[in-house]
Amino acid sequence: MEKSEPRLEAPSSLLRQAVDTGGIPAASSCVFHQGKVLHLYAFGDPSQGDTTPDSLFDIASITKVVATTTSAAVMVARGALDLDRPVREILEDCPLPDSVTSRTLLSHTSGLEAWRPLFQHVQTDPVASALYDSEPADPGLWARARRLILNAAQAPKLKNDACVYSDLGFIVLGEVIETIGKASLDAVVTELVLQPLQLHNTRYVCLPVQEASVLAKTRHVLPTGTHRPRPPAPGQENLFEPGTGSEENRAEVDDDNAWAMGGVAAHAGLFSTAHDVARWGSLVLEEIQGANQLGAGEVLRNWMTRTETGRGLGFDFAQGQGSTAGPRWGQHSDSGGPGHLGFTGCSIWIDRDREISGALLTNRVLPGRESVKPIGQLRPAFYESVLESIER
């Protein structure tokens, strides 16, 4: 069902076409230009329920920038986090070498592996494995599972090539943030980011207290799958056996490592609306221009500058030929196009020079995690259509 105001027709048409032709069950998009909403739209297959701009999507790795990177920036600005202090000096019994710091974790240069099915440590644990049988509301089981994941993520299996985009690195960084913040990750993120920026539709869904079932009854949340564990993503074949199931587990995080951590992780776990995600980008732009809502403008400005790795600190960049944001987004300067992708089919890209923040959220993984062509076509076309609409 359609619902939008204001609306740019060309981007809206692309969303409708992507849903109507299959492969993307539902999509929502929002664009801020110079601090104001320029575009807001949502469209979904009727089988997904009434998809509106208020619908919540699992934004997957966009969690890395909205929650983790922004929280870390605030901590640095307050002097609480030293980027170059070895992580092993912060975390108890951490086996990582001194070369692994918060800076290397943020820049994906720590050498930690890109990904591993850490949840298998929970599946094979004689106690925590009960979570896969009935998902009981036992905080003790979830706490045990989370500890198993965190311990496994810190196993020092470093790559020779240190520049590897790493979920494991951000899982470790999340524990650093919790330790310094002296609170759970969701509490720290809420205090440092979500409340100051008034992102009221952005949240973690804590599984130990059964928040998923409650949220699914009160909000329209787009599903991402039916199995637990999910089927392997491309490149993960033969690493683990997927689960079975037929019921769409709405409001449960798609990422299996994040799920086994109780839904709250530094690399994935946030649910949000396109409006909130795009607004976060717009507010970050205002922050680096001196708005001082977070007190981290200078830090974020530096982190949003592309380095020799092609990334900033915590931020990816829309860049060059084949960019997921199209050929022109953020191409005016090296600091022009920070943002991030989310595996579930979500993206946030900021064009600093044009003062645009654009969010595109989908649940493209629901038909199958191997289905990458539809989102691969939609993303660059959407962002290019936004620029064309603005420049008319």
Side-chain angles (χ1 to χ4, degrees):
M1 180 176 179
E2 301 178 30
K3 178 182 177 183
S4 64
E5 189 177 357
R7 177 195 304 180
L8 297 175
E9 185 50 43
S12 302
S13 178
L14 286 170
L15 266 63
R16 292 195 299 272
Q17 182 180 359
V19 171
D20 288 341
T21 55
I24 295 179
S28 183
S29 57
C30 183
V31 177
F32 276 70
H33 183 217
Q34 297 177 344
K36 297 181 180 179
V37 179
L38 182 69
H39 163 81
L40 181 62
Y41 186 69
F43 187 80
D45 186 281
S47 66
Q48 298 297 294
D50 188 9
T51 303
T52 76
D54 292 326
S55 298
L56 293 173
F57 288 77
D58 178 340
I59 63 174
S61 282
I62 293 179
T63 301
K64 291 183 174 77
V65 286
V66 173
T68 313
T69 298
T70 312
S71 294
V74 174
M75 285 183 160
V76 169
R78 294 180 179 181
L81 175 62
D82 179 352
L83 288 181
D84 298 312
R85 184 183 178 190
V87 166
R88 66 184 301 171
E89 295 182 3
I90 302 171
L91 303 182
E92 185 177 354
D93 298 325
C94 177
L96 293 170
D98 287 346
S99 61
V100 178
T101 65
S102 295
R103 185 185 301 277
T104 64
L105 296 175
L106 279 162
S107 61
H108 297 282
T109 58
S110 69
L112 283 168
E113 295 171 278
W115 182 86
R116 272 188 285 132
L118 304 180
F119 57 85
Q120 288 184 318
H121 292 273
V122 179
Q123 285 183 301
T124 57
D125 183 81
V127 178
S129 58
L131 294 173
Y132 285 89
D133 297 328
S134 59
E135 297 175 33
D138 183 340
L141 286 182
W142 286 105
R144 182 183 179 94
R146 185 178 184 83
R147 188 69 257 166
L148 288 167
I149 297 291
L150 290 171
N151 289 344
Q154 294 175 30
K157 298 179 180 179
L158 303 186
K159 297 288 188 180
N160 291 329
D161 180 6
C163 188
V164 176
Y165 175 85
S166 175
D167 271 11
L168 272 62
F170 262 69
I171 290 173
V172 174
L173 182 60
E175 188 174 13
V176 170
I177 290 173
E178 285 188 318
T179 301
I180 292 175
K182 299 179 180 178
S184 64
L185 182 63
D186 53 335
V188 174
V189 170
T190 298
E191 178 187 351
L192 299 186
V193 181
L194 303 184
Q195 287 182 346
L197 298 184
Q198 299 183 47
L199 300 177
H200 301 306
N201 288 303
T202 303
R203 58 172 296 172
Y204 283 107
V205 180
C206 187
L207 299 175
V209 293
Q210 297 184 307
E211 286 185 348
S213 59
V214 174
L215 183 62
K217 293 175 182 176
T218 58
R219 294 289 299 270
H220 180 240
V221 188
L222 276 303
T224 54
T226 58
H227 297 58
R228 188 66 69 191
R230 299 287 198 244
Q236 298 174 0
E237 296 86 356
N238 303 318
L239 292 181
F240 63 94
E241 288 295 324
T244 59
S246 58
E247 183 179 353
E248 294 178 347
N249 38 28
R250 295 175 186 260
E252 286 190 8
V253 61
D254 182 71
D255 182 275
D256 281 299
N257 286 336
W259 183 90
M261 295 177 72
V264 179
H267 70 293
L270 281 188
F271 286 76
S272 190
T273 63
H275 179 274
D276 255 24
V277 175
R279 186 167 177 268
W280 167 83
S282 182
L283 291 172
V284 166
L285 276 175
E286 293 180 6
E287 183 75 9
I288 67 175
Q289 294 165 357
N292 204 36
Q293 289 179 282
L294 299 173
E298 183 178 356
V299 174
L300 286 167
R301 186 184 307 111
N302 292 333
W303 291 13
M304 292 170 70
T305 299
R306 189 162 54 197
T307 68
E308 64 276 3
T309 67
R311 298 188 176 94
L313 284 188
F315 291 88
D316 275 351
F317 280 84
Q319 53 187 320
Q321 194 68 27
S323 165
T324 59
R328 295 188 297 146
W329 191 280
Q331 299 303 313
H332 285 171
S333 66
D334 282 344
S335 59
H340 217 283
L341 297 180
F343 179 77
T344 49
C346 301
S347 53
I348 170 65
W349 292 118
I350 300 167
D351 192 311
R352 286 179 59 177
D353 302 296
R354 296 182 176 94
E355 296 185 77
I356 308 171
S357 172
L360 171 63
L361 309 186
T362 82
N363 62 335
R364 69 97 193 165
V365 293
L366 184 61
R369 296 162 79 81
E370 74 285 350
S371 177
V372 297
K373 185 176 180 180
I375 193 65
Q377 294 173 334
L378 175 60
R379 275 174 172 155
F382 168 79
Y383 288 101
E384 180 64 16
S385 73
V386 169
L387 292 185
E388 291 176 349
S389 298
I390 291 174
E391 293 173 352
R392 279 178 188 159

